[in-house]
Amino acid sequence: SAGVCETSVYHEKLAQRIAELREEIRILENCHNQVTPICCLPPEILSKIFLTLSAVTPRHHPRDSVSWFRVSHVCVHWRSVALSCSDLWANLRFVSPAFTELMLDRAREALLSVVF
């Protein structure tokens, strides 16, 4: 019984240390990404790139039409720029009700383009 208790405590400490190391790796990756040349571009230029990507994305299937959305998952900087670019979210595609609502929220005051 005592061995099981000690194993449980040891396992908990290992899990806690793993979580700490994962957080440290996340912070280091963020620092690494911040010094890459693409992250040194001003948000205005990066936004234009994202808008161009959105404009040239194939529209054969509703899910394809929002594949540009992946840019918001590259790094913290790209996500911040993508989320702050309301025009990027104003070209509504009805992939799902939840995604459409998300796009409406992120489009804020931008003029909407609705494709049905």
Side-chain angles (χ1 to χ4, degrees), residues 59 89-94 100 103-104 107 110-116:
R59 310 252 188 246
W89 304 95
N91 190 4
L92 296 181
R93 300 289 179 185
F94 296 95
T100 303
M103 290 186 78
L104 283 169
L111 293 175
L112 299 177
S113 171
V114 180
V115 176
F116 186 72

Side-chain angles (χ1 to χ4, degrees), residues 53-70 91 93-96 99:
L53 175 64
S54 172
V56 300
T57 299
R59 310 252 188 246
H60 306 301
H61 186 275
R63 292 208 184 276
D64 293 340
S65 69
V66 292
S67 62
W68 58 264
F69 176 72
R70 294 182 193 131
N91 190 4
R93 300 289 179 185
F94 296 95
V95 175
S96 72
F99 191 74

Side-chain angles (χ1 to χ4, degrees), residues 1-103:
S1 173
V4 171
C5 183
E6 289 173 12
T7 302
S8 176
V9 169
Y10 181 69
H11 186 265
E12 186 176 313
K13 286 182 179 181
L14 284 174
Q16 181 179 355
R17 182 65 179 134
I18 290 169
E20 290 169 357
L21 289 170
R22 283 185 178 143
E23 177 62 13
E24 188 173 342
I25 288 169
R26 186 193 66 76
I27 291 168
L28 288 170
E29 286 175 337
N30 187 23
C31 291
H32 178 266
N33 289 343
Q34 288 178 4
V35 295
T36 58
I38 192 77
C39 286
C40 296
L41 286 176
E44 299 81 11
I45 293 175
L46 203 49
S47 291
K48 294 278 188 197
I49 293 169
F50 294 165
L51 287 165
T52 301
L53 175 64
S54 172
V56 300
T57 299
R59 310 252 188 246
H60 306 301
H61 186 275
R63 292 208 184 276
D64 293 340
S65 69
V66 292
S67 62
W68 58 264
F69 176 72
R70 294 182 193 131
V71 300
S72 68
H73 295 277
V74 171
C75 66
V76 173
H77 177 62
W78 282 29
R79 182 167 183 78
S80 174
V81 171
L83 294 180
S84 67
C85 181
S86 57
D87 289 339
L88 188 60
W89 304 95
N91 190 4
L92 296 181
R93 300 289 179 185
F94 296 95
V95 175
S96 72
F99 191 74
T100 303
E101 186 174 335
L102 179 72
M103 290 186 78

